[in-house]
């Protein structure tokens, strides 16, 4: 149930514009502190936005008041106040579609923002190519770190792409978001495409499946159009990030099942091509993501294991065979045992990106590579055909701080495959959390050991690394992910994450000619990989202290607020 707040006659923009072509639908629940930024990012798109329809899903904080104030100040803003909370994202978005008068619709969540020029880029492509659906690039921005992670980056190429029908580009099923796309409202109406109502957690999956099932022409543009804010320290995170109980995984599996049914039942040309791609995506992305967040609670692990095994029973052999090796091998382990194995933590680490298979490496009686001696039926099929660059090798790394720093590494073989490629040199690659090009240290020869491993002491170049961070605009605290690039005499190179070993959390002050002092800390990421925090000079020290204070402030705020319960894009 909802009601629409009438237009305020005294807004600063004069009479309501009718020449704009886009309605931006903003949904909000208990986001009083963030929703104004979202609405302003929509208004900043310019006159092509005819209306911003803000749907207040019966918030219990000041969200409604903030939206009313925005509507009073901007005649393009209309507010819908729902009289009952829907419990999810689908119903308020449907309210927004129904209220829209513009020919195109764009969705925006209350804690995210549209990138500058998003509407112009999407609308231009939609008109130029006559596309009922236009897709743009999205980044997930981790806050407060400002770490940008591209969303499905392989879809967004250097130049616009026109897809005559979705089956011509089946990887489109991997982009399940609704918020980075512009839709013709008449297309949505003609095909009765709407979101599931009520508390349906992964409503994007169902909506996107309906869109693809209708087989529209789709324009794909490389422009960044949507910034998805991820606040993991919030008192109550968005539904898609709230993965602490089995209900979330059950909801995701059900949404995926519904999406497959919609695609299969559409009768669209080559519908089975999209079904196949959707199933493979589930194995390579959804399954691995939830596995690496499996946690340590035995009850949750057991429920997750049973639910996942049951769902995988419906997958065709060809769908499993088409998945990449890590996903395939995970399925083999799941099918080999009714309960989580004793080395389930090893399986969790293997689900990381890049995958990392730690020793021991077992073989069946006939010499076939298998997951473990306890699970000889979990075959690592296709291992011998993998190129060296695709091998999930493991390397251990320990930071040794000195004037310029070194990392002591030990590279493990993988069923003899790495030895056959003949590793020769290794070097460290440092990737900043802001998405810049990696910073590369100089290579060092690897030394083979009697136990079948290779070792090396690799230079870090702490001062040069800090300088690279400064050039990238990070004058304060810098965070670097550390990976190992191995060059082989046979088969080129491979990139491996470093398993963090040694003293992980000690913070050390290192003298620097350029900065006076560098504060350096190595730590293990959630997947156990080596990462570095680096604070150059007094500016860096101050930034580090400010970062710690901000984290403490956010934690206090989280304890004192109810937080959001419904809205947020579905990963």
């Amino acid at each position: 149930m909802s009601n629409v707040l009438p237009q305020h006659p005294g807004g600063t923009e004069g009479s309501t514009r009718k020449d704009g072509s886009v309605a931006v639908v903003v949904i909000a629940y208990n986001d009083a502190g963030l929703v104004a930024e979202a609405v302003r990012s929509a208004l900043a798109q310019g006159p092509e936005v005819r209306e911003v329809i803000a749907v207040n899903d019966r918030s219990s904080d000041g969200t409604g008041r903030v939206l009313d104030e925005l509507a009073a100040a901007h005649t393009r803003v209309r507010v819908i106040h729902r009289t009952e909370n829907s419990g999810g994202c689908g119903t308020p978005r449907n309210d927004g579609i129904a209220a829209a008068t513009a020919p195109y619709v764009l969705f925006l969540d209350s804690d995210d923002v549209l990138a500058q020029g998003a509407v112009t880029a999407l609308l231009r492509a939609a008109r130029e190519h006559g596309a009922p659906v236009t897709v743009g690039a999205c980044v997930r921005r981790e806050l407060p770190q400002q770490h940008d992670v591209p969303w499905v980056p392989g879809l967004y190429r250097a130049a616009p792409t026109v897809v005559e029908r979705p089956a011509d580009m089946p990887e489109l099923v991997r982009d399940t978001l609704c918020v980075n796309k512009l839709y013709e409202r008449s297309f949505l109406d003609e095909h009765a495409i709407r979101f599931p109502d009520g508390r349906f957690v992964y409503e994007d999956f169902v909506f996107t499946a309906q869109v693809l099932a209708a087989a529209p022409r789709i324009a794909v543009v490389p422009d960044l159009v949507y910034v998805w804010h991820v606040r993991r320290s919030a008192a109550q995170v968005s539904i898609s990030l709230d993965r602490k109980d089995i209900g979330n995984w059950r909801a995701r599996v059900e949404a995926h099942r519904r999406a497959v049914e919609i695609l299969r039942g559409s009768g669209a040309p080559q519908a089975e091509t999209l079904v196949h791609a959707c199933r493979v995506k589930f194995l390579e992305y959804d399954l691995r993501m939830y596995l690496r967040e499996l946690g340590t609670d035995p009850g949750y692990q057991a429920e997750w294991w049973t639910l996942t095994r049951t769902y995988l029973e419906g997958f065709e052999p060809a769908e499993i065979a088409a998945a990449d090796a890590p996903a395939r091998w995970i399925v083999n382990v799941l099918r080999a045992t009714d309960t989580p194995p004793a080395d389930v933590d090893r399986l969790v680490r293997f689900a990381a990106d890049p995958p990392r298979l730690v020793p021991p490496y077992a073989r069946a009686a006939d010499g076939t590579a298998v997951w473990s001696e306890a699970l000889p039926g979990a075959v690592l099929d296709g291992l011998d055909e993998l190129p060296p660059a695709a091998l999930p090798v493991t390397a251990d790394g320990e930071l040794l701080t000195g004037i310029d720093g070194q990392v002591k590494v030990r590279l493990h073989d993988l069923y003899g495959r790495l030895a056959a490629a003949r590793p020769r040199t290794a070097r460290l690659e440092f990737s900043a959390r802001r998405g810049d090009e990696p910073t590369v240290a100089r290579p060092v020869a690897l030394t083979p050991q009697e136990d079948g491993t290779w070792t090396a002491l690799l230079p870090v170049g702490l001062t040069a690394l800090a300088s690279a961070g400064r050039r990238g605009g990070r004058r304060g605290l810098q965070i670097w992910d550390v990976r190992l690039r191995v060059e082989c005499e046979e088969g080129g190179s491979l990139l491996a994450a470093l398993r963090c070993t040694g003293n992980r959390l000690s913070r050390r002050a290192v003298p620097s000619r350029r900065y006076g002092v560098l504060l350096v800390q190595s730590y293990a990421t959630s997947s156990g990989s080596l990462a570095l925090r680096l604070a150059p000079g007094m500016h860096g020290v101050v930034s580090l202290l400010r970062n710690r204070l901000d984290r403490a402030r956010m934690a206090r705020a989280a304890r004192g607020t109810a937080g959001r319960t419904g809205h947020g894009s579905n990963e």
Side-chain angles (χ1 to χ4, degrees), residues 129 170 175 183 194 236 254 261 266 278 298-299 340 355 383 403 422 463 469 480 501 514 519 529 533 546:
H129 303 293
D175 186 359
Y183 305 91
R194 292 295 186 270
Q236 188 159 347
E254 177 56 29
E261 290 174 352
S266 67
C278 191
L383 172 64
I403 293 297
R422 301 171 64 186
T463 297
W480 299 89
T501 60
R514 177 171 296 183
L519 287 185
S529 299
R533 294 188 181 98
R546 185 181 296 116

Side-chain angles (χ1 to χ4, degrees), residues 135-301:
V135 184
C138 167
V139 295
R140 292 170 39 116
R141 180 166 294 166
E142 298 272 355
L143 298 175
Q145 300 92 340
Q146 298 289 321
H147 175 204
D148 284 356
V149 179
W151 172 254
V152 200
L155 290 179
Y156 310 105
R157 294 151 188 178
T161 302
V162 180
V163 182
E164 290 299 328
R165 56 184 181 179
D168 295 338
M169 191 177 179
E171 58 266 37
L172 285 168
V173 301
R174 293 178 177 262
D175 186 359
T176 52
L177 299 183
C178 72
V179 290
N180 60 329
K181 302 172 179 69
L182 184 72
Y183 305 91
E184 269 189 6
R185 190 161 53 85
S186 61
F187 163 76
L188 298 179
D189 291 342
E190 177 186 354
H191 296 279
I193 297 173
R194 292 295 186 270
F195 293 91
D197 281 312
R199 187 175 171 79
F200 193 99
V201 177
Y202 291 100
E203 78 292 334
D204 283 24
F205 286 29
V206 174
F207 184 86
T208 300
Q210 294 177 70
V211 169
L212 296 178
R217 173 183 289 179
I218 299 176
V220 183
V221 301
D223 305 73
L224 175 63
V225 301
Y226 198 87
V227 180
W228 172 6
H229 289 152
V230 180
R231 296 175 173 87
R232 298 184 187 274
S233 59
Q236 188 159 347
V237 296
S238 61
I239 292 172
S240 62
L241 295 176
D242 187 13
R243 298 196 279 262
K244 64 180 179 297
D245 60 55
I246 197 64
N248 188 281
W249 180 232
R250 184 177 290 110
R252 193 178 189 96
V253 168
E254 177 56 29
H256 184 266
R257 191 197 316 272
R258 285 270 300 273
V260 168
E261 290 174 352
I262 291 167
L263 293 171
R264 176 162 285 153
S266 67
Q270 300 178 328
E272 285 301 318
T273 299
L274 294 177
V275 169
H276 179 88
C278 191
R279 286 273 183 82
V280 173
K281 174 260 181 185
F282 180 86
L283 299 176
E284 293 182 348
Y285 182 75
D286 304 66
L287 176 62
R288 287 180 61 185
M289 177 174 66
Y290 274 75
L291 178 56
R292 60 178 172 258
E293 298 182 7
L294 190 60
T296 58
D297 177 58
Y300 175 85
Q301 290 182 352

Side-chain angles (χ1 to χ4, degrees), residues 397-408 457-463 465 501-511 518-523 530-534:
E398 178 184 1
L399 177 67
L400 307 175
T401 51
I403 293 297
D404 238 6
Q406 291 179 312
V407 172
K408 180 180 178 181
L457 279 176
L458 303 182
V460 176
L462 291 171
T463 297
L465 189 61
T501 60
N503 191 349
R504 305 179 182 187
L505 297 176
S506 60
R507 184 179 292 112
R508 306 172 193 178
V510 177
L518 294 171
L519 287 185
V520 184
Q521 180 186 29
S522 64
Y523 70 99
L530 178 67
L532 298 181
R533 294 188 181 98
L534 189 60

Side-chain angles (χ1 to χ4, degrees), residues 336-408:
T337 173
D338 293 337
T339 58
D343 63 348
V344 67
D345 183 65
R346 179 170 175 249
L347 190 64
V348 170
R349 299 304 184 205
F350 181 56
D353 186 22
R356 184 177 64 234
L357 184 55
V358 301
Y361 304 124
R363 292 186 180 274
D366 63 357
T368 302
V370 297
W371 177 259
S372 66
E373 291 182 358
L375 297 177
V379 176
L380 308 187
D381 57 300
L383 172 64
D384 291 338
E385 287 75 42
L386 288 180
L391 293 174
V393 298
T394 291
D396 301 329
E398 178 184 1
L399 177 67
L400 307 175
T401 51
I403 293 297
D404 238 6
Q406 291 179 312
V407 172
K408 180 180 178 181

